[in-house]
DNA sequence: TCTATGTGAATGAACATTCATTCATGCGTG
DNA sequence: CACGCATGAATGAATGTTCATTCACATAGA
């Protein structure tokens, strides 16, 4: 079983967009393998099998495990960018931000949480991955600050000075929430509610700090 | 180089407390190896070397990696228990709790954070470790609720119902904070401050909810 | 001597990485 | 159109390494 482009087997020399699609499909499969076995736990043969291809061919796509993580993180970043684009162009940026954050908290998050935890752990150990993750987080932080600037009518610099901590807190909560083991207990829903409340308050604090018109 | 008890080579047939000390010393060394290489990344020979003993002998102490994690978590639990004992017997439980939580946030945390991240990730993957960690977290949660009950003059059940989410939030923030990569940037101190503020507010909310006398 | 404590070589499985090879297609030539 | 060749895509066996786990053996207090 091989991963195939929609119209089977596609052409031979692949176009750039076909390659992108291919890459994305591979990353999705590989992600599952990482979730199941962990960064060090997943062998290259595991990953190749998950991607539906031979080991040798897999090495044509990724020269190392770190490269895979970099690719996955890059894909995540593109998703986040899309979300922030939605927020920025929305008639009600704050409301849209709240909605999207709420979805991230409530979302079953399936395996993404596990991957999050896995990558976080690896980032603390391998400098290479630490750098990649650090860049991702810095970019998300900057996007958040941009939204805060938009909401309050402040410059990006001013917003960064005032709300940098707020942005960090929101990110931390989303991240930490994602790394919880789902238990289905009352404690879980209690905490969920508490997180949402805390995020709401944090955003309120910013909204109430908008420059007067 | 071998790890030795203070008076070299110790006696032969060891007393129970000597064994405990030995075990603790081994765990401390092994912890470092886990921090450096990760759960899957650290091999049993790595761990044995870190503990300053032969592979074969190491297996006499721990039959598996999971057993090591269980032992480490058990040690951590005993530390946490000691902290909560201090809080519970303090003349000002709330103040003492604030102080201890503050220390956990400010603490350089050295490698403990990395180990935290590592164990969290492993807990999501290996059911065995998930169970151990889940128990640890449940116990800490219960200790926190007990302190909240003490502070407000409520029963444990009532406190659990009212403040279960609060306890979860505090734990989550301590945990998430511990897993951050130290950057030394302004964003880091901003977030630190924000976390402390959020914890303070959470505790205030509980303190203000004490039963009237 | 007996038993708790310890050693480190040995074993076989799994691992990352490489490589000789095959496959399938596009393309130029006749 | 038919033929053969160049080339990107894919294969999976081979290589040397590391791993978890076991085992035969050593040492030293009791």
């Amino acid at each position: 079983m091989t991963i195939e482009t929609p119209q089977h087997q596609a052409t031979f020399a692949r176009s750039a967009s076909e390659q992108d699609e291919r890459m994305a499909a591979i990353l999705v499969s590989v992600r599952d393998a990482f979730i199941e076995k962990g960064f060090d736990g997943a062998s290259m043969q595991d990953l190749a099998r998950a991607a539906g291809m031979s080991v040798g061919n897999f090495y044509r796509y990724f020269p190392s495990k770190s490269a895979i993580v970099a690719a996955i993180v890059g894909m995540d970043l593109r998703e986040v960018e899309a979300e922030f684009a939605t927020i920025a162009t929305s008639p009600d940026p704050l409301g849209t931000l709240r909605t999207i954050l709420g979805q991230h908290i409530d979302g079953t998050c399936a395996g993404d949480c596990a991957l999050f935890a896995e990558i976080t752990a690896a980032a603390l150990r391998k400098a290479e991955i630490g750098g990649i993750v650090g860049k991702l987080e810095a970019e998300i932080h900057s996007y958040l600050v941009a939204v805060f600037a938009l909401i309050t009518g402040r410059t990006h610099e001013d917003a960064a000075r005032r709300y940098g901590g707020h942005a960090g807190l929101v990110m931390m909560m989303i991240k930490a929430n994602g790394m919880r083991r789902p238990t289905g207990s009352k404690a879980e829903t209690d905490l969920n509610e508490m997180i949402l409340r805390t995020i709401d308050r944090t955003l309120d604090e910013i909204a109430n700090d908008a420059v007067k018109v």
Side-chain angles (χ1 to χ4, degrees), chain A residues 136-147:
Chain A
L136 170 72
E137 290 183 351
E139 296 211 40
I140 296 178
H141 190 271
S142 169
Y143 277 123
L144 263 180
V145 167
V147 175

Side-chain angles (χ1 to χ4, degrees), chain A residues 70-190:
Chain A
I72 289 178
V73 169
M75 200 168 66
D76 288 344
L77 179 58
R78 259 168 278 134
E79 277 174 32
V80 171
E81 275 168 353
E83 284 184 332
F84 275 104
T86 308
I87 293 169
T89 61
S90 148
D92 173 19
L94 181 56
T96 310
L97 176 61
R98 279 192 213 268
T99 306
I100 289 185
L101 291 181
Q103 285 167 354
H104 275 275
I105 296 293
D106 290 328
T108 59
C109 106
D112 286 340
C113 5
L115 192 60
F116 232 15
E118 205 57 56
I119 291 182
T120 299
L124 287 166
R125 246 181 307 114
K126 317 235 184 203
E128 199 178 342
I129 295 178
I132 295 166
V133 173
K135 236 176 67 184
L136 170 72
E137 290 183 351
E139 296 211 40
I140 296 178
H141 190 271
S142 169
Y143 277 123
L144 263 180
V145 167
V147 175
F148 296 161
L150 178 66
I151 290 170
T152 57
R154 299 184 183 277
T155 65
H156 195 282
E157 291 71 35
D158 194 19
R161 205 172 318 115
R162 286 168 179 261
Y163 314 128
H166 297 69
L169 186 72
V170 170
M171 284 174 60
M172 196 191 80
M173 303 232 287
I174 299 282
K175 186 172 169 177
N177 177 67
M179 287 174 21
R180 277 191 294 151
R181 235 159 330 100
T183 61
S185 66
K186 177 179 170 297
E188 193 174 346
T189 48
D190 281 352

Side-chain angles (χ1 to χ4, degrees), chain A residues 28-45:
Chain A
V28 168
S29 318
V30 159
R31 177 195 285 262
D32 291 340
F34 268 130
I35 290 168
E36 198 182 326
K37 303 207 166 191
F39 181 77
D40 289 295
S43 71
M44 288 301 254
Q45 12 261 53

